[in-house]
Amino acid sequence: MSEVKFRELRNAPPMVINFAKAVLRATVKPGSNPTLPDIGLRLNDVALDEKHLAAYRKVCGFAADGKLPVTYPHMHAFPLHMALILSDGFPFPAMGLVHVRNSITQYRPISEREQLNVKCFLGNLTKVDKGYEFSIFTSISTGGERVWESESVNFFRSGGGGSSKKKDAPKPQPATDTVEWKVPGDTGRRYGAVSGDRNPIHLYPLSAKLFGFKRQIAHGMWSKARCLAELQNQLPEEAFTVDVQFKLPMFIPATVKFENKPADGGSDFRLLAKDGIKPHLAGQIRPAE
């Protein structure tokens, strides 16, 4: 990969414009040998919006503790993610992408009062079963100190049925010790209002059906945030990484079960359907290397 050329932004790209562009680019088709543009975006001196943070905490279930929820910096990165995948030379349509994995490393807790410098870029384009995967990398610093990083892996299906999942994956084991949640049908609209991610598949039954879903589905990053809100008082103060793999879509309203077990100096957690078997999300928390 060539050296990334970063462009500095004065303000976050408006999400309304981003989604309008996504609709216009819905017919983009990748060539036989797609490549990613060697570009990145920077947004500096991002300050706290108290009302926005409070709304995020409310929809995801975090308690106010003077620190940013571990998933909250993604709110500042997501508009840059959208701008990258809508940039000239990006080979896939934004509306056809599926978020399959997400990894966050928090190097230390981030105070509500710290200003953030956000940097995002593309990489790791790989041909996989039934399509392509690529990553969007985010690095966040404050006062010259790296405090947070993430990798969001997206999948684009390019022919045939199936998905990017391995055929020989082991069957999920039934959960044994769970907490049950009720997920309201308006969760996608509420999270979309906070995140700016108003993808139609998350909003209403009718808008979701236009894209092949029987009704609206929850955002993957809401699911990750809700799991970490459940674990908020157990998260390490020192550096740690939380990886998640998004599994089956969560059609909402829904009743789901959350499971968490100690593992390898951290914990493994799962978000499952009401039957305690069908997986929506699997996650791992580990000390950062």
Side-chain angles (χ1 to χ4, degrees):
M1 181 176 176
S2 305
E3 183 178 354
V4 176
K5 304 175 183 67
F6 283 94
R7 179 164 62 92
E8 191 158 334
L9 304 178
R10 292 185 177 181
N11 299 289
M15 290 302 296
V16 171
I17 294 176
N18 277 340
F19 273 100
K21 289 181 179 179
V23 172
L24 293 174
R25 286 175 53 89
T27 58
V28 169
K29 295 182 179 180
S32 58
N33 187 29
T35 59
L36 297 176
D38 298 325
I39 58 171
L41 296 173
R42 278 197 296 249
L43 181 63
N44 293 328
D45 302 325
V46 178
L48 170 73
D49 181 326
E50 293 183 359
K51 291 183 178 180
H52 185 264
L53 177 57
Y56 181 83
R57 283 176 169 147
K58 185 175 181 179
V59 73
C60 296
F62 287 100
D65 61 0
K67 305 168 187 173
L68 297 185
V70 63
T71 47
Y72 184 72
H74 180 76
M75 295 295 96
H76 294 302
F78 184 67
L80 277 64
H81 289 195
M82 285 291 294
L84 285 173
I85 64 179
L86 293 169
S87 61
D88 292 340
F90 185 79
F92 309 117
M95 301 301 283
L97 301 177
V98 180
H99 195 184
V100 291
R101 297 188 299 280
N102 177 267
S103 176
I104 290 173
T105 299
Q106 180 175 278
Y107 293 98
R108 66 159 173 81
I110 305 172
S111 166
E112 294 177 350
R113 300 301 174 185
E114 295 185 83
Q115 291 191 334
L116 307 179
N117 300 319
V118 186
K119 182 169 69 173
C120 302
F121 61 97
L122 302 163
N124 289 357
L125 177 62
T126 307
K127 183 76 171 72
V128 297
D129 184 34
K130 306 301 182 185
Y132 294 90
E133 285 185 355
F134 70 93
S135 296
I136 306 178
F137 296 96
T138 301
S139 179
I140 292 182
S141 63
T142 178
E145 177 191 6
R146 180 186 61 173
V147 293
W148 191 96
E149 287 184 332
S150 76
E151 179 182 3
S152 293
V153 181
N154 292 272
F155 170 71
F156 175 77
R157 192 192 313 273
S158 62
S163 70
S164 61
K165 295 186 292 187
K166 300 292 187 296
K167 294 179 180 179
D168 298 328
K171 292 183 179 179
Q173 297 299 310
T176 55
D177 185 11
T178 64
V179 177
E180 189 170 279
W181 304 335
K182 301 288 187 183
V183 183
D186 66 350
T187 299
R189 298 192 293 276
R190 293 171 58 222
Y191 183 78
V194 174
S195 67
D197 186 354
R198 291 185 172 90
N199 189 319
I201 65 175
H202 301 303
L203 303 181
Y204 297 97
L206 181 58
S207 61
K209 286 178 181 177
L210 293 175
F211 291 87
F213 294 93
K214 62 182 180 181
R215 63 179 188 272
Q216 70 269 36
I217 63 174
H219 294 74
M221 286 304 293
W222 174 86
S223 299
K224 180 172 185 174
R226 181 65 185 86
C227 290
L228 293 173
E230 188 74 18
L231 301 173
Q232 183 172 355
N233 295 328
Q234 303 174 40
L235 296 176
E237 285 291 317
E238 63 274 9
F240 70 95
T241 296
V242 53
D243 296 321
V244 298
Q245 303 81 48
F246 301 115
K247 306 289 186 178
L248 300 175
M250 182 198 303
F251 295 100
I252 51 177
T255 299
V256 296
K257 293 185 176 180
F258 175 76
E259 177 190 60
N260 181 58
K261 293 183 176 181
D264 299 331
S267 64
D268 290 345
F269 59 92
R270 294 191 293 167
L271 191 59
L272 306 165
K274 187 177 182 179
D275 62 7
I277 298 176
K278 295 175 184 176
H280 295 306
L281 175 153
Q284 306 81 38
I285 299 172
R286 298 291 187 272
E289 297 180 357

